[in-house]
Amino acid sequence: MVPFFVQFKCKLGQSYAVANAIAEAEIASEIYSTAGDYDLLVKFYVDNDTDIGHFVNERVQTIPGIQDTHTIITFKAFGPG
């Protein structure tokens, strides 16, 4: 599985609706509300052979209430041990 993150800028007053829609779609691992330039930070996992661009375009950006997204591809997770 390949992890990646997407930051969401939502239309005014739509952050909770977008977060709930993502949760109901059961496509995300974790969903966080954030302060700053973006309203939500969401962690996704896809199969190794999944095209992340198509996944974001077809499964994520089609959710109503999203104004903008910023996808972050990660390379390595660091931790103890």
Side-chain angles (χ1 to χ4, degrees):
M1 298 294 278
V2 177
F4 67 97
F5 297 83
V6 178
Q7 293 177 295
F8 291 84
K9 191 175 291 184
C10 301
K11 294 179 182 174
L12 292 177
Q14 295 294 305
S15 298
Y16 282 82
V18 171
N20 287 330
I22 294 168
E24 288 173 8
E26 297 182 352
I27 57 174
S29 171
E30 301 168 40
I31 305 168
Y32 299 96
S33 60
T34 59
D37 292 334
Y38 290 89
D39 303 306
L40 301 171
L41 174 66
V42 181
K43 185 176 186 179
F44 295 93
Y45 284 95
V46 293
D47 291 328
N48 292 348
D49 60 344
T50 299
D51 183 309
I52 292 172
H54 279 110
F55 179 87
V56 171
N57 185 55
E58 296 166 4
R59 304 279 314 273
V60 177
Q61 292 178 337
T62 56
I63 294 170
I66 296 173
Q67 180 177 326
D68 192 19
T69 61
H70 178 80
T71 303
I72 302 166
I73 306 296
T74 58
F75 300 108
K76 179 177 172 61
F78 295 91

